[in-house]
Amino acid sequence: MIHLLLASLFCDHMVLQRNQANPVWGWDRPRQEITLTVDEGPVTVAPLHIRTGDDGSWHAVLPPLPAGGPYRIRISDGTTQRTIHDVLVGEVWVASGQSNMERALKDSAGAAKVIANETTPEIREFKVERTTALEPARGVAGHWTVCTPDTAGSFSAVATYFALELHRRLHVPVGIVNSTWGGTRIQAWASIPAQRAVSDVDAELARIAALAPEMPKLEAAYDLRRRAWERANFATDTGIAPAAAAWADPATNDTSWETLRIPAYWQHHGLKFNGAVWFRTHVTIPAAWAGHDLRLNLGPIDDFDTTYFNGIEVGHMGAEHDDAYEIPRHYVIPARLVKAGGATIAVRVFDRGGDGGFAGTDASMSLSPVGEKATALPLAGEWRYRVERLI
């Protein structure tokens, strides 16, 4: 039984369009009364009362709200309540397209300076999760993310620079709905009536409809072929070489290892190879952190990693993740391993093709007690490295 669901756009940190009424919608039981209240913010808004339809859907319209915030919105059906916190009102724009629009801010020129100095929590991005469907869906998956030095690197670069310029000129919050997918055809983004207006698409639509029942089988077969292609064309990690077995051990003397400032791809610094490379850094754990869980943030690593704290493995991401190269690493170091004083963080990175290394930003690399960002220890900087295997 459905009980008060909201479309995914309506969640914490969302941005609403200024100078106009804004729709809010969702689902509940049929013929159920819904009350929507704006109970925190710069203005008072009379509660809205709506009744769901026979199919359980409901649709409310918020009156125009002054730019700024934060607002808090509550939606209730009498038994269940949803609260949306930290709502801002300003400019809302859709950023859509292929890889040029999808490209992350961290991969743009001068990104480190922009991320460190120009990010603002008044800019937010809603990233629409990738999915395919043969018919229009009633909702999408995704969530709003506040633009901070820790998060901005994954935002669309084009959309972020656009949002920063709008924010500078208009002095209002800016929300970006990032609906991008590199390499997709324009037809996949257009409605059927729109396509029929410019071309004959009925034959192709008929072929797609005929294939629909076979899609699960076709997708599984494609996945097998793709994995076979990857095995034939990408290097496979055969495990840690015997000579490198002790390189995670804090007792290992790494003073003769080379140094590299990370985050960085090692191919951008004269190391023109793929394979396995170990990175190590030494930190001092404050006495107040001893016996507490620590959160180790390393940003995305291209492609795979095994991460150690004082010789003990605390995190791993391998070929089981097709998109491992773009997934930020967030590992928890258990309290039983945390003692005051010197500690060694070692990361074995395996790059199976293309660029390899730490793909994030300075702000994406830190160590802190779980739940305490304010006391984070930055990890970007000079790390020692040693090559285990070249391919």
Side-chain angles (χ1 to χ4, degrees):
M1 178 70 71
I2 293 175
H3 286 277
L4 196 56
L5 299 180
L6 301 177
S8 58
L9 276 167
F10 307 112
C11 61
D12 292 352
H13 316 304
M14 74 173 176
V15 183
L16 297 173
Q17 178 62 42
R18 64 177 179 155
N19 298 331
Q20 71 171 45
N22 283 276
V24 181
W25 66 90
W27 303 268
D28 205 323
R29 290 156 292 175
R31 298 173 298 283
Q32 179 71 37
E33 183 172 323
I34 305 292
T35 301
L36 188 150
T37 307
V38 180
D39 64 356
E40 184 178 283
V43 297
T44 300
V45 178
L48 302 176
H49 300 280
I50 320 101
R51 186 169 293 277
T52 63
D54 290 341
D55 62 353
S57 64
W58 58 269
H59 183 278
V61 179
L62 282 170
L65 298 171
Y71 294 85
R72 182 174 64 194
I73 299 174
R74 296 186 189 273
I75 303 100
S76 173
D77 65 2
T79 58
T80 303
Q81 179 173 278
R82 309 291 182 200
T83 303
I84 309 173
H85 299 278
D86 187 32
V87 177
L88 298 183
V89 176
E91 288 290 305
V92 181
W93 291 76
V94 175
S96 190
Q98 298 180 316
S99 54
N100 287 343
M101 184 66 79
E102 186 178 38
R103 185 176 179 85
L105 177 61
K106 64 182 174 59
D107 295 326
S108 66
K113 182 178 178 181
V114 171
I115 290 169
N117 300 320
E118 299 186 45
T119 51
T120 169
E122 287 207 328
I123 292 174
R124 283 95 187 273
E125 181 187 79
F126 182 93
K127 181 65 172 75
V128 178
E129 293 185 13
R130 292 178 174 184
T131 189
T132 59
L134 296 177
E135 296 179 353
R138 68 177 188 176
V140 298
H143 63 274
W144 287 96
T145 299
V146 178
C147 183
T148 70
D150 288 335
T151 63
S154 64
F155 284 26
S156 159
V158 172
T160 302
Y161 285 116
F162 174 75
L164 287 168
E165 184 64 22
L166 277 185
H167 188 261
R168 277 192 290 266
R169 294 190 183 193
L170 303 177
H171 308 291
V172 298
V174 182
I176 298 293
V177 178
N178 178 354
S179 181
T180 54
W181 194 333
T184 50
R185 302 168 62 197
I186 188 61
Q187 290 92 332
W189 298 90
S191 69
I192 292 173
Q195 293 184 59
R196 282 179 173 146
V198 295
S199 64
D200 181 8
V201 296
D202 289 334
E204 184 173 5
L205 290 172
R207 285 194 298 271
I208 292 173
L211 287 173
E214 300 296 315
M215 284 306 295
K217 184 188 300 183
L218 293 171
E219 289 173 352
Y222 169 79
D223 191 57
L224 286 175
R225 291 196 302 272
R226 178 179 60 79
R227 292 185 183 278
W229 182 90
E230 289 177 350
R231 287 193 296 272
N233 292 276
F234 287 148
T236 301
D237 189 359
T238 55
I240 299 173
W247 291 359
D249 190 335
T252 295
N253 186 342
D254 60 16
T255 55
S256 63
W257 293 22
E258 299 291 333
T259 61
L260 179 67
R261 191 191 186 286
I262 62 173
Y265 295 116
W266 65 70
Q267 287 87 350
H268 296 190
H269 296 271
L271 307 176
K272 303 299 184 181
F273 59 83
N274 305 116
V277 180
W278 287 74
F279 295 86
R280 285 167 54 109
T281 191
H282 304 284
V283 298
T284 301
I285 304 298
W289 293 11
H292 293 274
D293 290 342
L294 301 184
R295 183 174 175 85
L296 176 59
N297 302 306
L298 297 173
I301 294 178
D302 191 346
D303 290 287
F304 313 130
D305 75 289
T306 307
T307 297
Y308 304 84
F309 181 80
N310 280 342
I312 306 298
E313 183 179 327
V314 294
H316 170 80
M317 188 170 292
E320 69 277 6
H321 296 274
D322 293 333
D323 54 352
Y325 65 92
E326 62 181 2
I327 299 176
R329 287 3 181 225
H330 302 293
Y331 299 136
V332 174
I333 301 170
R336 60 183 174 80
L337 301 180
V338 182
K339 298 177 175 59
T344 299
I345 298 170
V347 183
R348 180 184 185 267
V349 179
F350 183 81
D351 172 38
R352 63 179 181 173
D355 289 335
F358 293 79
T361 64
D362 284 10
S364 68
M365 301 188 65
S366 64
L367 180 68
S368 64
V370 170
E372 295 184 26
K373 283 187 177 182
T375 57
L377 177 69
L379 295 179
E382 297 290 328
W383 286 48
R384 296 188 181 276
Y385 76 89
R386 186 171 179 179
V387 178
E388 175 196 321
R389 178 187 172 199
L390 294 143
I391 56 173

